Amino acid sequence: RRQLGEIYKEFGKLGVVAPIPTQNPDFAALTASKVTGLPIEFFKDLPGRELFRISNKVFGYFFTED
């Protein structure tokens, strides 16, 4: 939970305007970066289709129940 708060803060520093951050590809790239330890640029440089898949996984993680 603490890490999610840190991700939101860092996302705000990116200057991206997103009404629902968890559905934003930049938020997904940042989250994936924090989880994997890979640089955010790695995810931002992926083909759109791949980043979209990651975005869906991030969104699903936050909004589905186990």
Side-chain angles (χ1 to χ4, degrees), residues 8 10-21 24-27 30 40 44:
Y8 273 111
E10 197 166 327
F11 181 69
K13 292 177 186 177
L14 293 176
V16 177
V17 177
I20 305 173
N24 184 283
D26 289 325
F27 185 87
L30 179 60
I40 191 172
K44 286 187 166 193

Side-chain angles (χ1 to χ4, degrees), residues 12-63:
K13 292 177 186 177
L14 293 176
V16 177
V17 177
I20 305 173
T22 53
Q23 292 181 330
N24 184 283
D26 289 325
F27 185 87
L30 179 60
T31 303
S33 172
K34 294 294 183 185
V35 170
T36 64
L38 294 169
I40 191 172
E41 293 79 17
F42 172 83
F43 296 98
K44 286 187 166 193
D45 290 340
L46 289 173
R49 180 183 308 206
E50 296 304 317
L51 186 53
F52 182 73
R53 286 181 181 161
I54 291 170
S55 295
N56 284 336
K57 291 288 186 186
V58 169
F59 181 77
Y61 175 79
F62 288 119
F63 291 102

